[in-house]
Amino acid sequence: MREFQLEIQYPSSPEQVWAMLTNPDFLKFRFRQMPAFLGEVQLEKADSGIYISRATLKPHAWQELGRYAHLLPEELAIEIVETWVDNPAVPLIAEGSFQVNIASIPVTIKADSQLKYPENNRQETVRHLSGKLEVKLPFIGGKVEREILSRMQLLASAEEDAAASWLQSSAQ
């Protein structure tokens, strides 16, 4: 099991980012921005503040997978569960949890999620993810964890790009 920290910067006010992150259309949109995306995104609002999005991806479309790509099936069913609590701790805008489940692959990603005001800029919002990654594969689990961690910044960048595109199109 490996711990990780990730920051995602959104180019908009906290109010606009909060509205985006709890908008079902954005939760679907960000999956559709991935080059490996296949088909439809299913979204379920499980409870107040809980959003579950599911999509099928074709992982071999990603050039960045490296030497472990052959371990993956042709298609992956990915589920992202985002939970936001009603009363975040001061001075946070929002807080909750973030979990990624991948069908048929023994990978677990769980993180605490905090949406914060940046220190100097009110027209930008920062999301901080702090969590754990675990790959349960005998003999190579640790190596695969290191490989995934080395590419997590790419996922953060993809989220930033999807958000920037969404925020720009919604401002027009």
Side-chain angles (χ1 to χ4, degrees):
M1 183 176 335
R2 311 246 181 221
E3 293 185 3
F4 67 90
Q5 306 252 342
L6 207 53
E7 257 192 22
I8 301 170
Q9 296 184 349
Y10 300 104
S12 192
S13 71
E15 295 78 20
Q16 290 173 314
V17 171
W18 174 244
M20 175 188 71
L21 290 175
T22 56
N23 182 328
D25 292 332
F26 173 73
L27 299 178
K28 293 177 184 179
F29 174 81
R30 71 175 170 196
F31 262 122
R32 292 188 187 117
Q33 303 311 298
M34 295 181 188
F37 173 72
L38 294 170
E40 283 298 308
V41 178
Q42 298 173 347
L43 184 76
E44 175 184 335
K45 189 168 184 337
D47 200 357
S48 175
I50 300 175
Y51 300 87
I52 303 170
S53 48
R54 296 178 184 93
T56 303
L57 304 176
K58 192 170 184 79
H60 298 282
W62 283 318
Q63 307 282 323
E64 302 86 13
L65 282 177
R67 63 180 176 240
Y68 298 107
H70 69 281
L71 297 173
L72 298 174
E74 278 296 309
E75 294 182 6
L76 287 177
I78 295 182
E79 176 183 81
I80 296 177
V81 180
E82 291 180 90
T83 304
W84 298 101
V85 297
D86 289 338
N87 298 310
V90 176
L92 299 176
I93 301 159
E95 67 181 324
S97 64
F98 182 88
Q99 181 174 333
V100 178
N101 304 310
I102 305 173
S104 74
I105 305 243
V107 174
T108 304
I109 300 172
K110 293 181 180 180
D112 291 327
S113 180
Q114 297 179 328
L115 206 56
K116 302 177 178 182
Y117 291 101
E119 292 180 21
N120 300 325
N121 185 352
R122 287 290 200 191
Q123 290 306 311
E124 188 176 89
T125 307
V126 176
R127 183 177 188 178
H128 182 76
L129 294 167
S130 176
K132 294 181 177 156
L133 161 72
E134 185 174 16
V135 177
K136 293 182 181 177
L137 289 171
F139 307 112
I140 63 166
K143 292 177 186 174
V144 174
E145 287 172 356
R146 283 192 299 276
E147 190 75 22
I148 292 171
L149 284 176
S150 74
R151 299 179 190 300
M152 285 189 104
Q153 190 55 51
L154 293 171
L155 296 173
S157 295
E159 170 82 359
E160 289 173 350
D161 292 345
S165 178
W166 176 269
L167 291 164
Q168 183 178 20
S169 67
S170 65
Q172 296 175 356

